[in-house]
Amino acid sequence: MIHSALPVSPADSGRPKRPAVDGGIRGREWRPWRLPLAWGRQWPGVILAQAAVPVTLITAITLAATFAPVAVHLSPLLVAAPTSTAAFASSRFTAGTAVVASAAMFVIDRHDGLLHSSLLPIHIAALLVVSGFVVAARALHDRDLRELSQVRAVAEVAQRVVLHPLPRQLGPLRVACTYRAAAAHALVGGDLYAAARTDHATRFLIGDVRGKGLPAVEDASALLGAFREAAYEHATLPELAAALERSVRRHLAQLSDSEPDSSERFITALLVEIPDEAPLAQAISCGHPPPLRGHRGQVTTLRIPHPAPPLGLAGTAPDAYHVDTFEFGTADALLLYTDGVIEARNATGDFYPILERASTWPWTCPHDLLRHINHDVDIHTGGRLEDDLALVAIQRTTAPGTGHGPRSPEPPHPAEADP
């Protein structure tokens, strides 16, 4: 995630990873498999930490053998050094540990009077044979780690192509966004958002695909691609919504032969258009939760009395969609969200009370607003998300009609340090 993040429990045991605010999907996290495996390219602190275990074992066994009776041979215990090292260190490091353990074994057996005995070569040969198997296993493991790292890197790039980060500024609007995938190791899922600048307005899309896994990502990608093209070609929101419906239907029709359940798939969506020169916002809901608005110190749910069915089930003509218009002036803020927020449950099964909590949020800055929401949701759920979560916060920064025309989008800002 290229963007500021809240401290959240890691994704172990099904917990979602840290959310990214402002740029969309969560940022690049420290991952141990990305550490280089060759000695010369590792951090000094990592090398010292790896050396602590085998050095401690070899030293302890050597000292114990020095004070033990001569008839008690402790040198075979040195095989524990390379075998334990292979659990966390590279194959080269493990091989080096085996060589040091062999030298320590020679010292111990010489102390025990086995210098000219057949036991000395047997001890050393046994240690080297076991170490050879361990080093070979570790080498295969290292190869798998490198391949896994490459696969993860490719998957990460592919997922970022699906869900583009939103710029911080779109015309007269400040924008922040968050995406948190519930699936472990995923950056995107079935939730989606996008934005497009037209000549005198900004259009937003947020949606939620029915289902999970790769089919949901495929459907989300199809809708995002259609929006990025159609948002610039249609003058009104109903025309845009109808075009998206036709695109979704074509996408699902193409899947009908290979995926029989494609007829049961649909996408809830919310389209929002905010003109540069008018203090209002227009919205079309296709079965999606209505947005929240922070307006003059009050937070309300924007009422959308005539929502259309979800995309894939809606009409293909513009007159099938009803546009609702709301006041949206300077310093007002909108929060677009998916049902991953309102359906987030706590330990007792209670849903997250979004409207009740909304009055406690800071609505003066979109980025602070999303950080606060993420933190609040984590407190409610204990850091466990059962569904994907997407949030887009929008604030008008200039008064309509003051001569501030559309501005070129600024690139997403770099990652900020965790608080």
Side-chain angles (χ1 to χ4, degrees):
M1 277 120 327
I2 45 182
H3 316 286
S4 167
L6 286 168
V8 179
S9 301
D12 298 338
S13 304
R15 294 192 178 191
K17 294 184 179 178
R18 295 176 179 176
V21 178
D22 304 335
I25 34 192
R26 62 176 172 269
R28 190 178 297 272
E29 299 174 354
W30 182 87
R31 297 185 174 103
W33 57 79
R34 284 185 174 168
L35 289 175
L37 300 176
W39 286 355
R41 293 155 54 197
Q42 280 185 327
W43 297 339
V46 175
I47 297 176
L48 292 176
Q50 291 178 348
V53 172
V55 168
T56 301
L57 283 173
I58 293 172
T59 302
I61 294 172
T62 302
L63 290 176
T66 302
F67 295 101
V70 175
V72 178
H73 305 306
L74 299 181
S75 60
L77 296 178
L78 289 168
V79 74
T83 53
S84 61
T85 303
F88 56 85
S90 67
S91 56
R92 292 176 61 185
F93 200 101
T94 303
T97 301
V99 172
V100 175
S102 298
M105 178 174 285
F106 179 84
V107 172
I108 294 175
D109 281 357
R110 181 178 179 182
H111 172 269
D112 292 345
L114 301 178
L115 185 59
H116 301 291
S117 170
S118 60
L119 288 178
L120 175 60
I122 292 175
H123 287 172
I124 295 179
L127 185 146
L128 293 178
V129 169
V130 172
S131 298
F133 282 111
V134 169
V135 169
R138 180 66 211 198
L140 293 175
H141 182 64
D142 290 347
R143 184 196 64 183
D144 292 341
L145 284 180
R146 287 191 293 268
E147 293 179 353
L148 177 61
S149 180
Q150 293 173 354
V151 169
R152 287 184 184 277
V154 172
E156 184 172 316
V157 171
Q159 291 177 92
R160 291 184 186 278
V161 168
V162 172
L163 194 65
H164 295 174
L166 299 185
R168 297 187 69 181
Q169 191 80 30
L170 286 168
L173 306 175
R174 292 180 65 192
V175 180
C177 55
T178 292
Y179 193 99
R180 297 172 64 179
H185 309 303
L187 297 181
V188 297
D191 289 4
L192 57 100
Y193 55 72
R197 284 286 298 153
T198 63
D199 290 338
H200 302 290
T202 306
R203 288 174 169 175
F204 293 91
L205 165 70
I206 189 166
D208 187 357
V209 176
R210 178 185 180 273
K212 297 181 180 180
L214 292 178
V217 175
E218 186 177 10
D219 293 349
S221 177
L223 178 57
L224 287 169
F227 174 81
R228 289 164 185 157
E229 182 68 21
Y232 303 98
E233 296 182 347
H234 300 279
T236 66
L237 275 189
E239 292 175 352
L240 174 58
L244 295 181
E245 170 65 21
R246 293 191 294 270
S247 296
V248 170
R249 289 197 180 192
R250 284 195 299 269
H251 165 70
L252 296 178
Q254 292 171 355
L255 300 177
S256 59
D257 294 336
S258 58
E259 300 184 28
D261 67 337
S262 62
S263 60
E264 302 175 2
R265 286 152 66 171
F266 56 82
I267 307 172
T268 68
L270 179 70
L271 289 168
V272 176
E273 180 174 286
I274 302 175
D276 294 345
E277 301 299 326
L280 55 86
Q282 296 180 319
I284 290 178
S285 174
C286 297
H288 198 80
L292 298 182
R293 179 186 61 179
H295 174 66
R296 297 178 181 175
Q298 295 184 343
V299 180
T300 57
T301 300
L302 295 183
R303 185 170 175 268
I304 300 181
H306 304 294
L311 296 178
L313 306 174
T316 57
D319 57 9
Y321 301 90
H322 178 76
V323 177
D324 292 286
T325 303
F326 311 97
E327 184 178 352
F328 189 66
T330 305
D332 286 352
L334 280 181
L335 177 66
L336 317 181
Y337 55 91
T338 59
D339 60 9
V341 181
I342 57 178
E343 295 181 0
R345 297 174 182 264
N346 59 13
T348 60
D350 298 325
F351 290 116
Y352 180 71
I354 186 169
L355 188 58
E356 176 184 327
R357 300 289 184 91
S359 60
T360 66
W361 300 337
W363 287 80
T364 56
C365 173
H367 315 297
D368 291 341
L369 174 61
L370 294 195
R371 292 189 185 99
H372 194 91
I373 297 173
N374 274 295
H375 183 63
D376 204 29
V377 170
D378 284 332
I379 291 175
H380 180 79
T381 63
R384 298 177 183 273
L385 289 180
E386 300 297 331
D387 195 5
D388 299 336
L389 178 155
L391 299 165
V392 177
I394 309 161
Q395 183 185 44
R396 187 186 289 275
T397 58
T398 59
T402 57
H404 293 276
R407 298 194 300 178
S408 300
E410 298 179 5
H413 64 87
E416 300 173 359
D418 289 347

